[in-house]
Amino acid sequence: MAEITWFFAYRHLRSEASSHVITFRRGQRVRSGRGLAFWFRPDRTSIAEVPADDRDTDFVFQARSRDYQVVTVQGTITWRAAEPEALASRVDFTIDLRTGRLRTDPLDRIASLLIGLAQYQAARYVEHRPVNDLLVEGAAPLQDGIAASLTADPRLREMGLSVVTVRIAGLSPSAELARALETPTFERAQGLADEAAFTRRAQAVEKERAIAENELSTRVELARRQAALIAQEDENARRQAEGRAEAGRIGSEAEAARIRVVEAARNAAEGERLALLRDTDPAVLQSLVLRAFAEKLTKIETLNVTPDLTAALNGVLRGRDVPPAAARGDAPRDVSTGR
């Protein structure tokens, strides 16, 4: 918007660099350019201000597909005034010389024109295709078609308009149709989810079965090893018992052999001793007997001395065969120890 200041009968206009200002005086064009600043008299001057920057025009409209389904098209058209003077000659961009504002709405007229052309091209494109093909193809073909149509439109070229870009933001069916189209996809996704769940459960069951089989195999192997251990322990115990029995037998045989040897030696010694004693004097034998008896005797409580005993002792001591006491006929007497 241009900025206008007053100074008595004259006024001063200052425009932005993004605006193309065209000044007419008495029906003749006197100046034209961007970002101008000048003095003028309002009673003899007319000024038009055309925007020279890029402008965006949003649109939303509906079209019917070949299978009678409503499709909503939403997008944006970016345009600019390639020839501001030509555009000003076709569309009224005159400004109010008191406020600097546009007297009419030329931008709305240009937006209506662009939207109408885009809607016509979109309707022609959509009506020849079923809704499934439109949704599968996406918005790119429609976007290219609208851009090519607007760029080649002769009316826009004559007006000095240039279409910079066309962007289709959305190509969507109605809410009911969208839900209907989403249902198969949702069901397929749900089926895949169920299949994944079933597969996971089957894998879990298979793993549990494998674990159970592994546990059973482990238990069987442990039982087999335990049986083998018990058999080995029995075999070891049997071998130990046999070893102990064999050792006992060998020890018994050795002890028996030792006893036989000892007894044989003892018998031999006894035989030699008996052979030596066979020719010994009876008195000497009695002495030996008494000596052996004395060696075994530890305590004497009572001793009976008879004439026969004293006679035998005298005979031994004196070397006589008949003891004197027996010849005299003395009676025996008791002799107690310690008296």
Side-chain angles (χ1 to χ4, degrees):
M1 184 183 70
E3 181 181 351
I4 298 177
T5 57
W6 293 38
F7 187 76
F8 296 104
Y10 290 89
R11 298 179 186 178
H12 184 270
L13 180 142
R14 187 181 66 82
S15 64
E16 301 292 339
S18 60
S19 299
H20 189 99
V21 177
I22 306 172
T23 304
F24 297 89
R25 184 181 301 165
R26 296 177 180 177
Q28 300 294 325
R29 185 181 65 186
V30 294
R31 66 174 58 87
S32 176
R34 297 177 61 175
L36 297 180
F38 54 90
W39 291 92
F40 66 94
R41 290 186 62 175
D43 55 348
R44 63 181 67 175
T45 304
S46 177
I47 300 174
E49 185 182 18
V50 180
D53 57 348
D54 293 348
R55 296 298 178 104
D56 292 334
T57 299
D58 298 330
F59 61 87
V60 177
F61 51 79
Q62 293 181 340
R64 190 177 298 274
S65 64
R66 191 177 66 182
D67 49 0
Y68 307 104
Q69 298 298 325
V70 177
V71 178
T72 302
V73 181
Q74 181 179 359
T76 302
I77 301 174
T78 302
W79 60 274
R80 65 183 178 86
E83 299 178 8
E85 295 181 3
L87 183 59
S89 65
R90 301 291 297 272
V91 182
D92 186 9
F93 280 91
T94 303
I95 64 173
D96 189 344
L97 297 181
R98 293 179 301 174
T99 62
R101 297 179 180 275
L102 295 171
R103 290 184 174 182
T104 60
D105 295 324
L107 298 180
D108 292 342
R109 290 183 57 189
I110 295 174
S112 299
L113 175 62
L114 294 175
I115 292 173
L117 294 175
Q119 185 173 3
Y120 173 74
Q121 181 62 29
R124 290 184 57 190
Y125 177 84
V126 171
E127 68 182 1
H128 292 89
R129 289 170 175 80
V131 67
N132 287 332
D133 293 346
L134 292 173
L135 297 178
V136 171
E137 292 173 359
L142 178 59
Q143 175 178 293
D144 296 339
I146 293 176
S149 175
L150 295 179
T151 302
D153 190 273
R155 184 179 177 182
L156 297 180
R157 287 200 303 268
E158 292 174 0
M159 293 176 62
L161 288 175
S162 174
V163 176
V164 180
T165 58
V166 176
R167 299 185 301 274
I168 301 298
L171 181 65
S172 57
S174 61
E176 294 80 6
L177 180 60
R179 286 194 294 270
L181 293 175
E182 289 172 358
T183 300
T185 303
F186 176 78
E187 292 297 333
R188 285 194 299 269
Q190 188 65 35
L192 292 176
D194 294 341
E195 186 67 24
F198 294 153
T199 303
R200 185 171 60 254
R201 291 179 58 187
Q203 292 176 354
V205 171
E206 183 66 22
K207 289 182 180 180
E208 290 178 358
R209 184 185 63 81
I211 293 173
E213 291 181 354
N214 189 17
E215 292 178 352
L216 182 60
S217 301
T218 303
R219 292 175 60 185
V220 171
E221 181 64 20
L222 290 177
R224 186 185 65 79
R225 292 185 180 182
Q226 186 175 6
L229 178 61
I230 294 174
Q232 187 64 37
E233 289 178 350
D234 293 341
E235 181 66 20
N236 294 338
R238 186 181 63 80
R239 289 182 180 179
Q240 290 178 359
E242 290 178 355
R244 288 194 295 270
E246 183 66 20
R249 186 183 63 79
I250 294 173
S252 299
E253 291 179 355
E255 182 66 19
R258 186 185 66 78
I259 292 173
R260 286 195 298 271
V261 171
V262 171
E263 292 297 330
R266 184 179 297 171
N267 292 333
E270 186 68 20
E272 293 177 358
R273 189 172 66 83
L274 292 176
L276 293 175
L277 294 177
R278 186 179 299 115
D279 298 330
T280 304
D281 188 4
V284 174
L285 293 176
Q286 290 179 2
S287 299
L288 294 174
V289 171
L290 292 173
R291 181 181 177 180
F293 176 73
E295 291 178 353
K296 299 295 183 180
L297 186 63
T298 58
K299 183 178 181 182
I300 300 175
E301 295 292 340
T302 302
L303 177 62
N304 294 325
V305 180
T306 62
D308 295 333
L309 179 58
T310 57
L313 291 175
N314 289 330
V316 171
L317 296 176
R318 298 178 181 180
R320 299 176 181 180
D321 295 334
V322 180
R328 290 193 303 266
D330 296 335
R333 59 177 181 175
D334 295 333
V335 181
S336 300
T337 61
R339 293 182 183 181

